[in-house]
Amino acid sequence: MDSTPAVDPEATGDAQLTLYTSAFCEPCMQTRAVLSEAARLAPRIAVTELDVARNSERAEQDRIRVTPTVIVHGADGSEVFRAEGVPTLAQVLAAAAKAL
Protein backbone atom coordinates (compact mmCIF):
# COMPACT_ATOMS: atom_id res chain seq x y z
CA MET A 1 0.00 0.00 0.00
CA ASP A 2 1.40 3.38 -1.03
CA SER A 3 1.30 5.91 1.79
CA THR A 4 2.74 8.83 -0.20
CA PRO A 5 0.40 11.78 0.20
CA ALA A 6 -1.09 13.14 -2.99
CA VAL A 7 -0.90 16.84 -3.76
CA ASP A 8 -4.20 18.66 -3.49
CA PRO A 9 -5.49 19.22 -7.07
CA GLU A 10 -6.25 22.83 -6.15
CA ALA A 11 -2.53 23.35 -5.61
CA THR A 12 -1.56 22.26 -9.11
CA GLY A 13 -4.66 22.88 -11.23
CA ASP A 14 -4.19 21.73 -14.81
CA ALA A 15 -0.45 22.22 -15.15
CA GLN A 16 0.91 21.73 -18.68
CA LEU A 17 4.39 20.22 -18.86
CA THR A 18 6.31 19.58 -22.07
CA LEU A 19 9.17 17.08 -22.05
CA TYR A 20 11.63 17.21 -24.94
CA THR A 21 13.51 13.95 -25.45
CA SER A 22 15.80 12.22 -27.89
CA ALA A 23 16.44 8.58 -28.73
CA PHE A 24 18.84 6.64 -26.52
CA CYS A 25 18.83 9.37 -23.87
CA GLU A 26 19.35 7.84 -20.42
CA PRO A 27 18.55 11.10 -18.57
CA CYS A 28 15.31 11.26 -20.61
CA MET A 29 14.24 7.93 -19.10
CA GLN A 30 15.00 9.25 -15.62
CA THR A 31 12.99 12.40 -16.35
CA ARG A 32 10.04 10.32 -17.55
CA ALA A 33 10.07 8.54 -14.19
CA VAL A 34 10.10 11.84 -12.28
CA LEU A 35 7.24 13.24 -14.36
CA SER A 36 5.27 10.00 -14.02
CA GLU A 37 5.58 10.21 -10.25
CA ALA A 38 4.55 13.88 -10.31
CA ALA A 39 1.47 13.00 -12.36
CA ARG A 40 0.66 10.17 -9.95
CA LEU A 41 0.84 12.54 -6.97
CA ALA A 42 -0.98 15.37 -8.75
CA PRO A 43 -3.24 13.74 -11.37
CA ARG A 44 -4.12 17.03 -13.02
CA ILE A 45 -0.55 17.46 -14.28
CA ALA A 46 -0.59 16.90 -18.04
CA VAL A 47 2.68 15.84 -19.66
CA THR A 48 3.32 16.05 -23.41
CA GLU A 49 6.46 14.34 -24.63
CA LEU A 50 8.07 15.50 -27.88
CA ASP A 51 11.04 13.91 -29.61
CA VAL A 52 13.33 16.69 -30.85
CA ALA A 53 14.10 14.87 -34.11
CA ARG A 54 10.43 14.45 -34.96
CA ASN A 55 9.42 17.91 -33.73
CA SER A 56 12.41 19.96 -34.79
CA GLU A 57 10.47 23.13 -35.62
CA ARG A 58 8.74 23.19 -32.24
CA ALA A 59 12.01 22.36 -30.48
CA GLU A 60 13.72 25.24 -32.27
CA GLN A 61 10.84 27.57 -31.41
CA ASP A 62 11.17 26.57 -27.74
CA ARG A 63 14.97 27.02 -27.88
CA ILE A 64 15.77 23.43 -26.91
CA ARG A 65 19.53 23.00 -26.56
CA VAL A 66 19.78 19.72 -24.65
CA THR A 67 17.63 16.73 -23.81
CA PRO A 68 15.89 16.20 -21.59
CA THR A 69 14.32 19.60 -21.22
CA VAL A 70 11.10 20.13 -19.27
CA ILE A 71 9.07 23.29 -19.81
CA VAL A 72 6.10 24.24 -17.63
CA HIS A 73 3.60 26.73 -19.02
CA GLY A 74 1.17 28.83 -17.06
CA ALA A 75 -2.52 29.09 -17.86
CA ASP A 76 -1.77 32.08 -20.13
CA GLY A 77 0.79 30.04 -22.10
CA SER A 78 3.84 31.79 -20.66
CA GLU A 79 6.85 29.74 -19.62
CA VAL A 80 7.12 29.62 -15.84
CA PHE A 81 9.81 26.95 -15.45
CA ARG A 82 12.49 25.25 -17.52
CA ALA A 83 14.76 22.40 -16.48
CA GLU A 84 17.59 21.23 -18.71
CA GLY A 85 18.59 17.82 -17.43
CA VAL A 86 16.75 15.69 -14.90
CA PRO A 87 14.59 17.79 -12.54
CA THR A 88 13.76 16.68 -9.03
CA LEU A 89 10.24 15.73 -8.08
CA ALA A 90 10.09 18.75 -5.76
CA GLN A 91 11.07 21.08 -8.63
CA VAL A 92 8.35 19.66 -10.87
CA LEU A 93 5.64 19.91 -8.22
CA ALA A 94 6.68 23.47 -7.30
CA ALA A 95 6.71 24.45 -10.98
CA ALA A 96 3.24 22.97 -11.48
CA ALA A 97 1.95 25.04 -8.56
CA LYS A 98 3.69 28.13 -9.97
CA ALA A 99 1.95 27.59 -13.31
CA LEU A 100 -1.38 28.59 -11.79
Side-chain angles (χ1 to χ4, degrees):
M1 181 169 149
D2 184 2
S3 62
T4 307
V7 175
D8 182 356
E10 296 302 315
T12 58
D14 290 320
Q16 300 296 315
L17 286 71
T18 304
L19 167 60
Y20 284 94
T21 62
S22 56
F24 308 109
C25 169
E26 179 65 33
C28 294
M29 290 185 255
Q30 295 168 351
T31 301
R32 277 187 205 101
V34 170
L35 297 183
S36 176
E37 179 65 4
R40 184 185 73 77
L41 292 172
R44 293 175 64 185
I45 290 177
V47 179
T48 300
E49 183 173 338
L50 300 173
D51 181 281
V52 293
R54 293 186 179 140
N55 298 278
S56 59
E57 285 184 28
R58 172 105 182 254
E60 186 175 319
Q61 177 185 356
D62 281 342
R63 302 173 323 277
I64 302 305
R65 300 177 303 168
V66 299
T67 57
T69 295
V70 176
I71 300 175
V72 179
H73 291 96
D76 64 357
S78 66
E79 183 177 313
V80 297
F81 176 80
R82 177 182 290 246
E84 294 179 338
V86 182
T88 66
L89 179 59
Q91 287 174 317
V92 172
L93 293 174
K98 186 177 179 181
L100 298 178

Coordinates of all heavy atoms in Angstrom, one line a residue:
M1 N 0.8 -1.2 0.0 CA 0.0 0.0 0.0 C 0.9 1.2 0.0 O 1.8 1.4 0.8 CB -0.9 0.0 1.2 CG -1.8 1.2 1.3 SD -3.0 0.8 2.6 CE -3.3 2.5 3.1
D2 N 0.6 2.2 -0.9 CA 1.4 3.4 -1.0 C 0.9 4.4 -0.1 O -0.3 4.8 -0.1 CB 1.3 3.9 -2.5 CG 2.2 5.1 -2.7 OD1 2.9 5.5 -1.8 OD2 2.1 5.6 -3.8
S3 N 1.7 4.9 0.8 CA 1.3 5.9 1.8 C 1.7 7.3 1.4 O 1.6 8.2 2.2 CB 1.8 5.5 3.2 OG 3.2 5.6 3.2
T4 N 2.3 7.5 0.2 CA 2.7 8.8 -0.2 C 1.5 9.7 -0.3 O 0.6 9.4 -1.0 CB 3.5 8.7 -1.6 OG1 4.5 7.8 -1.5 CG2 4.0 10.1 -2.0
P5 N 1.6 10.9 0.3 CA 0.4 11.8 0.2 C 0.3 12.4 -1.2 O 1.3 12.8 -1.8 CB 0.7 12.8 1.3 CG 2.1 12.9 1.4 CD 2.6 11.4 1.2
A6 N -0.9 12.5 -1.7 CA -1.1 13.1 -3.0 C -1.2 14.6 -2.8 O -1.5 15.1 -1.7 CB -2.4 12.7 -3.6
V7 N -0.8 15.4 -3.8 CA -0.9 16.8 -3.8 C -2.3 17.2 -4.1 O -3.0 16.7 -5.0 CB 0.1 17.5 -4.8 CG1 -0.1 19.0 -4.8 CG2 1.5 17.1 -4.5
D8 N -2.8 18.2 -3.3 CA -4.2 18.7 -3.5 C -4.3 19.2 -4.9 O -3.5 20.0 -5.3 CB -4.5 19.8 -2.5 CG -5.9 20.3 -2.6 OD1 -6.6 19.9 -3.5 OD2 -6.2 21.2 -1.7
P9 N -5.3 18.7 -5.7 CA -5.5 19.2 -7.1 C -5.6 20.7 -7.2 O -5.2 21.3 -8.1 CB -6.8 18.5 -7.5 CG -6.9 17.3 -6.7 CD -6.3 17.7 -5.4
E10 N -6.1 21.4 -6.1 CA -6.3 22.8 -6.1 C -4.9 23.5 -6.2 O -4.7 24.6 -6.6 CB -7.1 23.3 -4.9 CG -8.5 22.8 -4.9 CD -9.3 23.3 -6.2 OE1 -9.1 24.4 -6.6 OE2 -10.0 22.4 -6.7
A11 N -3.9 22.8 -5.7 CA -2.5 23.3 -5.6 C -1.8 23.3 -7.0 O -0.9 24.1 -7.2 CB -1.7 22.6 -4.6
T12 N -2.2 22.4 -7.8 CA -1.6 22.3 -9.1 C -2.5 22.6 -10.3 O -2.0 22.8 -11.4 CB -1.0 20.8 -9.3 OG1 -2.1 19.9 -9.2 CG2 0.1 20.5 -8.3
G13 N -3.8 22.6 -10.1 CA -4.7 22.9 -11.2 C -4.4 22.0 -12.4 O -4.1 20.8 -12.2
D14 N -4.5 22.5 -13.6 CA -4.2 21.7 -14.8 C -2.9 22.2 -15.3 O -2.8 23.0 -16.3 CB -5.3 21.9 -15.8 CG -6.6 21.2 -15.4 OD1 -6.5 20.1 -14.9 OD2 -7.7 21.8 -15.6
A15 N -1.8 21.8 -14.8 CA -0.5 22.2 -15.2 C 0.0 21.5 -16.4 O -0.2 20.3 -16.6 CB 0.5 21.9 -14.0
Q16 N 0.5 22.3 -17.4 CA 0.9 21.7 -18.7 C 2.4 21.7 -18.7 O 3.1 22.7 -18.7 CB 0.4 22.6 -19.8 CG -1.1 22.8 -19.9 CD -1.8 21.4 -20.2 OE1 -1.3 20.7 -21.1 NE2 -2.8 21.1 -19.4
L17 N 3.0 20.4 -18.8 CA 4.4 20.2 -18.9 C 4.7 19.6 -20.2 O 4.1 18.7 -20.7 CB 4.9 19.2 -17.8 CG 4.9 19.7 -16.3 CD1 3.5 19.9 -15.8 CD2 5.7 18.8 -15.5
T18 N 5.8 20.1 -20.8 CA 6.3 19.6 -22.1 C 7.7 19.0 -21.8 O 8.6 19.7 -21.3 CB 6.4 20.6 -23.2 OG1 5.1 21.2 -23.3 CG2 6.8 20.0 -24.5
L19 N 7.9 17.8 -22.2 CA 9.2 17.1 -22.0 C 9.7 16.9 -23.4 O 9.1 16.2 -24.3 CB 9.0 15.7 -21.3 CG 10.2 14.8 -21.4 CD1 11.4 15.4 -20.7 CD2 9.8 13.4 -20.7
Y20 N 10.9 17.4 -23.7 CA 11.6 17.2 -24.9 C 12.7 16.1 -24.7 O 13.4 16.2 -23.7 CB 12.3 18.5 -25.4 CG 11.4 19.5 -26.0 CD1 10.8 20.5 -25.3 CD2 11.0 19.4 -27.4 CE1 9.9 21.4 -25.8 CE2 10.2 20.3 -27.9 CZ 9.6 21.3 -27.2 OH 8.7 22.2 -27.7
T21 N 12.6 15.1 -25.6 CA 13.5 14.0 -25.4 C 14.2 13.7 -26.8 O 13.9 14.3 -27.8 CB 12.7 12.7 -25.0 OG1 11.8 12.4 -26.1 CG2 12.0 12.9 -23.7
S22 N 15.1 12.7 -26.7 CA 15.8 12.2 -27.9 C 16.0 10.7 -27.7 O 16.0 10.2 -26.6 CB 17.1 13.0 -28.2 OG 18.0 12.9 -27.0
A23 N 16.2 10.0 -28.8 CA 16.4 8.6 -28.7 C 17.7 8.3 -28.0 O 18.7 9.0 -28.0 CB 16.5 8.0 -30.1
F24 N 17.7 7.2 -27.3 CA 18.8 6.6 -26.5 C 19.4 7.6 -25.5 O 20.6 7.7 -25.2 CB 20.0 6.2 -27.5 CG 19.5 5.3 -28.6 CD1 19.4 5.8 -29.9 CD2 19.1 4.0 -28.3 CE1 19.0 5.0 -30.9 CE2 18.7 3.2 -29.3 CZ 18.6 3.7 -30.6
C25 N 18.5 8.4 -24.9 CA 18.8 9.4 -23.9 C 18.5 8.8 -22.5 O 17.4 8.8 -22.1 CB 18.1 10.7 -24.2 SG 18.1 11.9 -22.9
E26 N 19.5 8.4 -21.8 CA 19.3 7.8 -20.4 C 18.7 8.9 -19.5 O 17.8 8.5 -18.8 CB 20.7 7.3 -19.9 CG 20.6 6.7 -18.5 CD 19.7 5.5 -18.4 OE1 19.7 4.7 -19.3 OE2 19.0 5.3 -17.3
P27 N 19.2 10.1 -19.4 CA 18.5 11.1 -18.6 C 17.1 11.3 -18.9 O 16.3 11.7 -18.1 CB 19.4 12.4 -18.8 CG 20.7 11.9 -19.2 CD 20.4 10.7 -20.0
C28 N 16.7 11.1 -20.2 CA 15.3 11.3 -20.6 C 14.5 10.2 -19.9 O 13.3 10.5 -19.5 CB 15.2 11.1 -22.1 SG 16.0 12.5 -23.0
M29 N 15.0 9.0 -19.8 CA 14.2 7.9 -19.1 C 14.1 8.3 -17.6 O 13.0 8.1 -17.1 CB 15.0 6.6 -19.3 CG 14.9 6.1 -20.7 SD 15.6 4.4 -20.8 CE 17.1 4.8 -21.6
Q30 N 15.1 8.8 -17.0 CA 15.0 9.3 -15.6 C 14.0 10.4 -15.5 O 13.2 10.4 -14.5 CB 16.4 9.7 -15.1 CG 17.4 8.6 -15.1 CD 18.8 9.2 -14.9 OE1 19.1 10.4 -14.9 NE2 19.7 8.2 -14.7
T31 N 13.9 11.3 -16.4 CA 13.0 12.4 -16.3 C 11.6 11.9 -16.5 O 10.7 12.4 -15.8 CB 13.3 13.5 -17.4 OG1 14.7 13.9 -17.2 CG2 12.4 14.6 -17.4
R32 N 11.4 10.9 -17.4 CA 10.0 10.3 -17.5 C 9.5 9.8 -16.2 O 8.4 9.9 -15.9 CB 10.1 9.2 -18.6 CG 9.9 9.6 -20.0 CD 9.8 8.4 -20.9 NE 10.3 8.8 -22.2 CZ 11.5 8.5 -22.7 NH1 12.3 7.8 -22.1 NH2 11.8 8.9 -23.9
A33 N 10.4 9.1 -15.5 CA 10.1 8.5 -14.2 C 9.7 9.6 -13.2 O 8.7 9.5 -12.5 CB 11.2 7.7 -13.6
V34 N 10.4 10.7 -13.2 CA 10.1 11.8 -12.3 C 8.7 12.4 -12.6 O 7.9 12.7 -11.8 CB 11.2 12.9 -12.3 CG1 10.7 14.2 -11.6 CG2 12.5 12.4 -11.8
L35 N 8.5 12.6 -13.9 CA 7.2 13.2 -14.4 C 6.1 12.3 -14.1 O 5.0 12.7 -13.8 CB 7.3 13.7 -15.8 CG 8.3 14.8 -16.1 CD1 8.3 15.1 -17.6 CD2 8.2 16.0 -15.2
S36 N 6.3 11.0 -14.3 CA 5.3 10.0 -14.0 C 4.9 10.0 -12.5 O 3.7 10.0 -12.2 CB 5.8 8.6 -14.4 OG 4.8 7.6 -14.1
E37 N 5.9 10.1 -11.7 CA 5.6 10.2 -10.2 C 4.9 11.5 -9.9 O 3.9 11.5 -9.1 CB 6.9 10.1 -9.4 CG 6.7 10.2 -8.0 CD 5.9 9.0 -7.3 OE1 5.5 8.1 -8.1 OE2 5.6 9.1 -6.1
A38 N 5.2 12.6 -10.5 CA 4.6 13.9 -10.3 C 3.1 13.8 -10.7 O 2.2 14.2 -10.0 CB 5.3 15.0 -11.1
A39 N 2.8 13.2 -11.9 CA 1.5 13.0 -12.4 C 0.7 12.1 -11.5 O -0.5 12.2 -11.3 CB 1.5 12.5 -13.8
R40 N 1.3 11.1 -10.9 CA 0.7 10.2 -9.9 C 0.2 10.9 -8.7 O -0.9 10.8 -8.2 CB 1.6 9.0 -9.6 CG 0.9 8.0 -8.7 CD 1.8 6.9 -8.2 NE 2.8 7.3 -7.2 CZ 2.5 7.5 -5.9 NH1 1.2 7.3 -5.5 NH2 3.4 7.9 -5.1
L41 N 1.1 11.8 -8.2 CA 0.8 12.5 -7.0 C -0.1 13.7 -7.2 O -0.9 14.0 -6.3 CB 2.1 13.1 -6.4 CG 3.1 12.1 -5.8 CD1 4.4 12.8 -5.5 CD2 2.5 11.4 -4.6
A42 N -0.1 14.3 -8.4 CA -1.0 15.4 -8.7 C -1.6 15.0 -10.1 O -1.1 15.5 -11.1 CB -0.2 16.7 -8.8
P43 N -2.7 14.3 -10.1 CA -3.2 13.7 -11.4 C -3.6 14.8 -12.4 O -3.8 14.4 -13.6 CB -4.5 13.0 -10.9 CG -4.2 12.6 -9.5 CD -3.4 13.8 -9.0
R44 N -3.7 16.0 -12.0 CA -4.1 17.0 -13.0 C -2.9 17.6 -13.8 O -3.1 18.5 -14.6 CB -4.9 18.1 -12.3 CG -6.3 17.6 -11.9 CD -7.1 18.5 -11.1 NE -7.5 19.7 -11.9 CZ -8.1 20.7 -11.4 NH1 -8.4 20.8 -10.1 NH2 -8.4 21.7 -12.2
I45 N -1.7 17.1 -13.5 CA -0.6 17.5 -14.3 C -0.6 16.7 -15.6 O -0.8 15.5 -15.6 CB 0.8 17.1 -13.5 CG1 0.9 18.0 -12.3 CG2 1.9 17.2 -14.5 CD1 2.2 17.7 -11.5
A46 N -0.6 17.5 -16.7 CA -0.6 16.9 -18.0 C 0.8 17.0 -18.6 O 1.4 18.1 -18.7 CB -1.6 17.6 -18.9
V47 N 1.3 15.9 -19.1 CA 2.7 15.8 -19.7 C 2.6 15.5 -21.1 O 1.9 14.5 -21.5 CB 3.6 14.8 -19.0 CG1 5.0 14.8 -19.6 CG2 3.7 15.1 -17.5
T48 N 3.2 16.3 -22.0 CA 3.3 16.1 -23.4 C 4.8 15.8 -23.7 O 5.6 16.6 -23.4 CB 2.8 17.3 -24.2 OG1 1.5 17.5 -23.9 CG2 3.0 17.0 -25.7
E49 N 5.1 14.7 -24.3 CA 6.5 14.3 -24.6 C 6.7 14.5 -26.1 O 5.9 14.0 -26.9 CB 6.8 12.9 -24.2 CG 8.2 12.5 -24.5 CD 8.6 11.2 -24.0 OE1 8.0 10.6 -23.1 OE2 9.6 10.6 -24.5
L50 N 7.7 15.2 -26.5 CA 8.1 15.5 -27.9 C 9.5 15.1 -28.1 O 10.4 15.5 -27.4 CB 7.9 17.0 -28.2 CG 6.5 17.6 -28.0 CD1 6.5 19.1 -28.2 CD2 5.5 16.9 -29.0
D51 N 9.7 14.3 -29.2 CA 11.0 13.9 -29.6 C 11.6 15.1 -30.5 O 10.9 15.5 -31.4 CB 11.0 12.6 -30.4 CG 12.3 12.2 -30.9 OD1 12.8 12.7 -31.9 OD2 12.9 11.2 -30.3
V52 N 12.8 15.5 -30.1 CA 13.3 16.7 -30.8 C 13.6 16.4 -32.3 O 13.4 17.3 -33.1 CB 14.6 17.2 -30.2 CG1 14.3 17.8 -28.8 CG2 15.7 16.2 -30.1
A53 N 13.9 15.2 -32.7 CA 14.1 14.9 -34.1 C 12.8 14.9 -34.9 O 12.8 15.3 -36.1 CB 14.8 13.5 -34.2
R54 N 11.7 14.5 -34.3 CA 10.4 14.4 -35.0 C 9.7 15.8 -34.9 O 8.7 16.0 -35.6 CB 9.6 13.3 -34.4 CG 10.1 12.0 -34.7 CD 9.1 10.9 -34.2 NE 9.7 9.6 -34.5 CZ 9.6 8.6 -33.7 NH1 9.0 8.7 -32.6 NH2 10.1 7.4 -34.1
N55 N 10.1 16.6 -34.0 CA 9.4 17.9 -33.7 C 10.4 19.0 -33.7 O 10.5 19.9 -32.8 CB 8.7 17.9 -32.4 CG 7.6 16.8 -32.4 OD1 6.5 17.0 -32.9 ND2 7.9 15.7 -31.8
S56 N 11.3 19.0 -34.8 CA 12.4 20.0 -34.8 C 12.0 21.4 -34.8 O 12.6 22.3 -34.2 CB 13.3 19.6 -36.0 OG 12.7 19.7 -37.2
E57 N 10.9 21.7 -35.6 CA 10.5 23.1 -35.6 C 10.0 23.6 -34.3 O 10.4 24.7 -33.8 CB 9.3 23.3 -36.6 CG 9.8 23.3 -38.1 CD 8.7 23.5 -39.1 OE1 7.7 24.2 -38.7 OE2 8.8 23.0 -40.2
R58 N 9.2 22.8 -33.6 CA 8.7 23.2 -32.2 C 9.9 23.3 -31.3 O 10.0 24.2 -30.4 CB 7.7 22.2 -31.8 CG 7.3 22.4 -30.3 CD 5.9 23.0 -30.2 NE 5.5 23.2 -28.9 CZ 4.6 22.4 -28.2 NH1 4.0 21.4 -28.8 NH2 4.4 22.7 -26.9
A59 N 10.9 22.3 -31.4 CA 12.0 22.4 -30.5 C 12.8 23.6 -30.7 O 13.3 24.2 -29.8 CB 12.9 21.1 -30.7
E60 N 13.0 24.0 -32.0 CA 13.7 25.2 -32.3 C 13.0 26.4 -31.7 O 13.6 27.4 -31.2 CB 13.9 25.4 -33.8 CG 14.8 26.5 -34.2 CD 15.1 26.5 -35.7 OE1 15.3 25.5 -36.3 OE2 15.0 27.6 -36.2
Q61 N 11.7 26.5 -31.9 CA 10.8 27.6 -31.4 C 11.0 27.7 -29.9 O 11.0 28.8 -29.4 CB 9.4 27.3 -31.8 CG 8.4 28.3 -31.3 CD 7.0 27.9 -31.6 OE1 6.7 27.0 -32.3 NE2 6.0 28.7 -31.1
D62 N 11.0 26.6 -29.2 CA 11.2 26.6 -27.7 C 12.6 26.6 -27.3 O 12.9 26.5 -26.1 CB 10.5 25.3 -27.1 CG 9.0 25.5 -27.1 OD1 8.5 26.6 -27.1 OD2 8.3 24.5 -26.9
R63 N 13.5 26.8 -28.2 CA 15.0 27.0 -27.9 C 15.5 25.8 -27.1 O 16.2 26.0 -26.1 CB 15.2 28.3 -27.1 CG 14.7 29.6 -27.9 CD 14.8 30.9 -27.1 NE 14.5 30.8 -25.7 CZ 13.3 30.8 -25.2 NH1 12.2 30.9 -25.9 NH2 13.1 30.8 -23.9
I64 N 15.3 24.6 -27.6 CA 15.8 23.4 -26.9 C 17.2 23.2 -27.3 O 17.5 23.1 -28.5 CB 14.9 22.2 -27.3 CG1 13.5 22.4 -26.9 CG2 15.5 20.9 -26.6 CD1 13.2 22.8 -25.4
R65 N 18.1 23.2 -26.3 CA 19.5 23.0 -26.6 C 20.0 21.6 -26.2 O 21.0 21.1 -26.7 CB 20.3 24.1 -25.8 CG 20.0 25.5 -26.2 CD 20.7 26.5 -25.4 NE 20.4 26.3 -24.0 CZ 21.1 26.9 -23.0 NH1 22.1 27.7 -23.3 NH2 20.8 26.6 -21.8
V66 N 19.4 21.0 -25.2 CA 19.8 19.7 -24.6 C 18.5 18.9 -24.3 O 17.4 19.4 -24.1 CB 20.6 19.8 -23.4 CG1 21.9 20.6 -23.6 CG2 19.9 20.5 -22.2
T67 N 18.7 17.6 -24.3 CA 17.6 16.7 -23.8 C 18.1 16.0 -22.6 O 19.3 15.7 -22.5 CB 17.2 15.7 -24.9 OG1 18.3 14.9 -25.3 CG2 16.5 16.4 -26.1
P68 N 17.3 15.8 -21.6 CA 15.9 16.2 -21.6 C 15.8 17.7 -21.2 O 16.6 18.2 -20.5 CB 15.3 15.3 -20.5 CG 16.4 15.1 -19.6 CD 17.6 15.0 -20.4
T69 N 14.7 18.3 -21.7 CA 14.3 19.6 -21.2 C 12.8 19.5 -20.9 O 12.0 19.0 -21.7 CB 14.6 20.7 -22.3 OG1 16.0 20.8 -22.5 CG2 14.0 22.0 -21.8
V70 N 12.5 20.1 -19.7 CA 11.1 20.1 -19.3 C 10.7 21.6 -19.2 O 11.4 22.4 -18.6 CB 10.9 19.5 -17.9 CG1 9.5 19.7 -17.4 CG2 11.3 18.0 -17.9
I71 N 9.6 21.9 -19.8 CA 9.1 23.3 -19.8 C 7.7 23.2 -19.2 O 6.9 22.4 -19.6 CB 9.0 23.9 -21.2 CG1 10.4 24.0 -21.8 CG2 8.4 25.3 -21.1 CD1 10.4 24.5 -23.3
V72 N 7.4 24.1 -18.3 CA 6.1 24.2 -17.6 C 5.5 25.6 -18.1 O 6.2 26.6 -17.9 CB 6.2 24.2 -16.1 CG1 4.8 24.3 -15.5 CG2 6.8 22.8 -15.7
H73 N 4.3 25.5 -18.6 CA 3.6 26.7 -19.0 C 2.5 27.1 -18.1 O 1.8 26.2 -17.6 CB 3.0 26.6 -20.4 CG 4.1 26.5 -21.5 ND1 4.6 25.3 -22.0 CD2 4.8 27.5 -22.1 CE1 5.5 25.5 -22.8 NE2 5.7 26.9 -23.0
G74 N 2.3 28.4 -17.9 CA 1.2 28.8 -17.1 C -0.1 28.8 -17.9 O -0.1 28.5 -19.1
A75 N -1.2 29.1 -17.2 CA -2.5 29.1 -17.9 C -2.6 30.0 -19.1 O -3.3 29.8 -20.0 CB -3.6 29.5 -16.9
D76 N -1.8 31.1 -19.0 CA -1.8 32.1 -20.1 C -0.8 31.7 -21.2 O -0.6 32.4 -22.2 CB -1.4 33.5 -19.6 CG 0.0 33.6 -19.0 OD1 0.7 32.5 -18.9 OD2 0.4 34.7 -18.6
G77 N -0.1 30.5 -21.1 CA 0.8 30.0 -22.1 C 2.2 30.5 -21.9 O 3.1 30.1 -22.6
S78 N 2.5 31.3 -20.9 CA 3.8 31.8 -20.7 C 4.7 30.7 -20.0 O 4.1 29.9 -19.2 CB 3.8 33.1 -19.8 OG 3.3 32.8 -18.5
E79 N 5.9 30.7 -20.2 CA 6.8 29.7 -19.6 C 7.1 30.2 -18.2 O 7.6 31.3 -18.0 CB 8.2 29.7 -20.4 CG 9.1 28.7 -19.9 CD 10.4 28.6 -20.7 OE1 10.3 28.5 -22.0 OE2 11.5 28.6 -20.1
V80 N 6.9 29.3 -17.2 CA 7.1 29.6 -15.8 C 8.3 28.8 -15.2 O 8.8 29.1 -14.2 CB 5.9 29.4 -15.0 CG1 4.8 30.4 -15.4 CG2 5.4 28.0 -15.0
F81 N 8.7 27.8 -16.0 CA 9.8 27.0 -15.5 C 10.4 26.2 -16.6 O 9.7 25.8 -17.5 CB 9.3 25.9 -14.4 CG 10.3 25.0 -13.9 CD1 11.2 25.3 -12.9 CD2 10.3 23.7 -14.4 CE1 12.1 24.4 -12.4 CE2 11.3 22.8 -13.9 CZ 12.1 23.1 -12.9
R82 N 11.8 26.0 -16.5 CA 12.5 25.3 -17.5 C 13.6 24.5 -16.8 O 14.3 25.1 -16.0 CB 13.1 26.2 -18.6 CG 13.9 25.4 -19.6 CD 14.6 26.4 -20.6 NE 13.5 26.9 -21.5 CZ 13.4 26.7 -22.8 NH1 14.3 25.9 -23.4 NH2 12.4 27.2 -23.5
A83 N 13.7 23.2 -17.1 CA 14.8 22.4 -16.5 C 15.5 21.7 -17.6 O 14.8 21.0 -18.4 CB 14.2 21.4 -15.5
E84 N 16.8 22.0 -17.7 CA 17.6 21.2 -18.7 C 18.3 20.2 -17.9 O 19.0 20.5 -17.0 CB 18.6 22.2 -19.4 CG 17.8 23.2 -20.3 CD 18.8 24.1 -21.0 OE1 19.9 24.3 -20.5 OE2 18.4 24.7 -22.0
G85 N 18.1 18.9 -18.2 CA 18.6 17.8 -17.4 C 17.4 17.2 -16.6 O 16.3 17.6 -16.8
V86 N 17.8 16.4 -15.7 CA 16.8 15.7 -14.9 C 16.3 16.6 -13.7 O 17.1 16.8 -12.8 CB 17.3 14.3 -14.4 CG1 16.2 13.6 -13.6 CG2 17.8 13.5 -15.5
P87 N 15.1 17.0 -13.7 CA 14.6 17.8 -12.5 C 14.3 16.9 -11.4 O 14.0 15.7 -11.5 CB 13.3 18.5 -13.1 CG 12.8 17.5 -14.1 CD 14.0 16.8 -14.7
T88 N 14.2 17.4 -10.2 CA 13.8 16.7 -9.0 C 12.2 16.7 -9.0 O 11.6 17.6 -9.6 CB 14.3 17.3 -7.7 OG1 13.7 18.6 -7.5 CG2 15.8 17.4 -7.7
L89 N 11.7 15.8 -8.2 CA 10.2 15.7 -8.1 C 9.8 17.0 -7.4 O 8.7 17.6 -7.8 CB 9.8 14.5 -7.2 CG 8.4 14.3 -6.9 CD1 7.5 14.2 -8.2 CD2 8.2 13.1 -6.1
A90 N 10.5 17.5 -6.4 CA 10.1 18.7 -5.8 C 10.1 19.9 -6.7 O 9.2 20.8 -6.7 CB 11.0 19.0 -4.6
Q91 N 11.0 20.0 -7.6 CA 11.1 21.1 -8.6 C 9.8 21.0 -9.5 O 9.2 22.0 -9.8 CB 12.3 21.0 -9.5 CG 13.6 21.4 -8.8 CD 14.8 21.2 -9.7 OE1 14.9 20.1 -10.3 NE2 15.7 22.1 -9.7
V92 N 9.5 19.8 -10.0 CA 8.4 19.7 -10.9 C 7.1 20.0 -10.2 O 6.2 20.8 -10.7 CB 8.3 18.2 -11.4 CG1 7.0 18.0 -12.2 CG2 9.5 17.9 -12.3
L93 N 6.9 19.6 -9.0 CA 5.6 19.9 -8.2 C 5.5 21.4 -7.9 O 4.5 22.0 -8.0 CB 5.5 19.1 -6.9 CG 5.3 17.6 -7.2 CD1 5.4 16.8 -5.8 CD2 4.1 17.3 -7.9
A94 N 6.7 22.0 -7.6 CA 6.7 23.5 -7.3 C 6.4 24.2 -8.6 O 5.6 25.2 -8.6 CB 8.0 23.9 -6.7
A95 N 6.9 23.8 -9.7 CA 6.7 24.5 -11.0 C 5.2 24.3 -11.4 O 4.7 25.3 -11.9 CB 7.6 23.9 -12.1
A96 N 4.7 23.2 -11.2 CA 3.2 23.0 -11.5 C 2.4 23.9 -10.7 O 1.4 24.5 -11.2 CB 2.8 21.5 -11.2
A97 N 2.7 24.1 -9.4 CA 2.0 25.0 -8.6 C 2.2 26.5 -9.0 O 1.2 27.3 -9.0 CB 2.4 24.9 -7.1
K98 N 3.4 26.8 -9.5 CA 3.7 28.1 -10.0 C 3.0 28.4 -11.3 O 2.7 29.6 -11.6 CB 5.2 28.2 -10.2 CG 5.7 29.6 -10.5 CD 7.2 29.6 -10.7 CE 7.7 31.0 -11.1 NZ 9.1 31.1 -11.2
A99 N 2.6 27.4 -12.0 CA 2.0 27.6 -13.3 C 0.5 28.2 -13.2 O 0.0 28.6 -14.1 CB 1.9 26.3 -14.1
L100 N 0.0 28.1 -12.0 CA -1.4 28.6 -11.8 C -1.5 30.1 -11.7 O -0.8 30.8 -11.2 CB -2.0 28.0 -10.5 CG -2.1 26.5 -10.6 CD1 -2.6 25.9 -9.3 CD2 -2.9 26.0 -11.7

